[in-house]
Amino acid sequence: MTNIVLFGPPGAGKGTQAERLKTNFKLNHISTGDLFRSNIKNQTELGNKAKEYIDKGELVPDEVTIGMLKEAVKENQHGNGFIFDGFPRTVAQAKALDEFLLTLKTEVHGMIALDVNDEVLVQRLLERGKTSGRADDANEEIIRNRVSVYYKETSILKDYYQEKNKYYSVDGVGSIDEIADRLAQIVEKL
Ligand code: C5P
Ligand code: MG
C-alpha cells in the first residue's frame, strides 16, 4: 500500500496531478476540498457549516475536516493506497492522520510538494475562477487570503514530514505531463 500526501499552496496543481497519480498507480484520490464542495451542493449539515469558512478562504475547524476524511477513507478501502489532496492542512490534522492510519496498520509513505511561486498561483486561480464556478476562486482578495492561510498554518507541515524523512518536492511549473513524470519518479520509489 502506498499513501501519499500531495502538498502545495492553492493553485499548485494538486487536484490535476492527483487525477494522474490515481490512474497511473491505482490509488484512491481523496480531496477534502471536493468533499466539502459536494456537501455544500447537497446542503448537508456539514456542508452548511463548512461553507462559512470556505467562502472566506479560511480553514474549516479541524474536528469537522478530520471526521469527514476518516469517513472517506473507510468508504474507499480498495486500490493500492490513497492520495490525500488538500489534507492535512494543519499539524493537528497531520497528527490525526498518522494516528488514524496506524489503526488501519498503515502510514503516510511520503509527502510530495508542488513548488509554484505565489504570483503564478494567484494568476492560475483567477484563470480557473472563470470556469470553475468556485466562489473562492473568483475574488482576488479571497485567493490571497487562501495563500496567506497556507503560509500561516499549512506550510509548517513541510517540517513535520521532513523530520520523518518523508518530504519530497518537485517543480510545479511546466506542462501537466512533465509534472506528472516528476511525481511518478518519486512515487515509484516510495
Ligand atoms: O483543497 P481546496 O483548495 O479545494 O480546498 C478549498 C477550501 O476548503 C479551502 O480554501 C478551505 O476553506 C477548505 N479546506 C479546509 N481544510 C482542508 C481542506 C480544505 O478548510 N483540509
Ligand atoms: Mg484542489
Side-chain angles (χ1 to χ4, degrees):
M1 195 169 189
T2 307
N3 301 312
I4 300 158
V5 172
L6 206 51
F7 192 60
K14 300 186 292 293
T16 304
Q17 292 300 332
E19 283 302 310
R20 292 298 190 96
L21 290 172
K22 171 184 170 168
T23 313
N24 295 344
F25 293 93
K26 303 212 170 24
L27 300 169
N28 291 306
H29 174 198
I30 299 198
S31 159
T32 40
D34 288 349
L35 290 171
F36 282 133
R37 283 183 285 278
S38 117
N39 273 281
I40 291 171
K41 200 168 148 211
N42 296 324
Q43 299 190 341
T44 67
E45 198 179 321
L46 186 146
N48 294 338
K49 198 168 184 181
K51 189 177 185 320
E52 48 181 297
Y53 297 93
I54 293 177
D55 283 351
K56 290 185 276 191
E58 300 290 337
L59 292 185
V60 177
D62 284 331
E63 64 273 16
V64 176
T65 308
I66 291 166
M68 181 179 75
L69 185 279
K70 287 182 179 175
E71 284 309 309
V73 169
K74 283 183 203 154
E75 286 166 11
N76 287 283
Q77 299 279 347
H78 53 81
N80 297 330
F82 294 92
I83 309 157
F84 298 106
D85 157 11
F87 183 96
R89 260 186 166 82
T90 62
V91 172
Q93 290 178 19
K95 288 184 175 161
L97 181 62
D98 281 347
E99 283 170 23
F100 176 58
L101 291 179
L102 210 56
T103 69
L104 301 175
K105 303 206 176 356
T106 186
E107 62 181 308
V108 170
H109 296 88
M111 162 186 266
I112 314 177
L114 293 165
D115 279 339
V116 180
N117 91 48
D118 291 357
E119 285 315 306
V120 174
L121 295 174
V122 174
Q123 287 317 313
R124 278 190 188 175
L125 289 170
L126 282 169
E127 197 54 41
R128 182 170 88 183
K130 292 178 188 164
T131 54
S132 72
R134 283 179 54 171
D136 62 346
D137 283 347
N139 173 314
E140 182 159 346
E141 209 177 313
I142 296 172
I143 290 175
R144 291 201 182 271
N145 191 40
R146 288 163 62 201
V147 173
S148 123
V149 167
Y150 170 82
Y151 284 108
K152 269 196 308 225
E153 305 193 44
T154 307
S155 60
I156 180 91
L157 291 178
K158 172 181 177 175
D159 301 342
Y160 182 88
Y161 288 95
Q162 214 155 31
E163 277 168 23
K164 299 175 193 287
N165 288 319
K166 288 181 175 179
Y167 180 81
Y168 305 85
S169 72
V170 300
D171 181 359
V173 180
S175 73
I176 292 174
D177 284 341
E178 281 165 353
I179 300 165
D181 283 345
R182 291 173 198 153
L183 287 170
Q185 284 183 24
I186 294 173
V187 174
E188 276 162 12
K189 290 185 195 142
L190 287 179

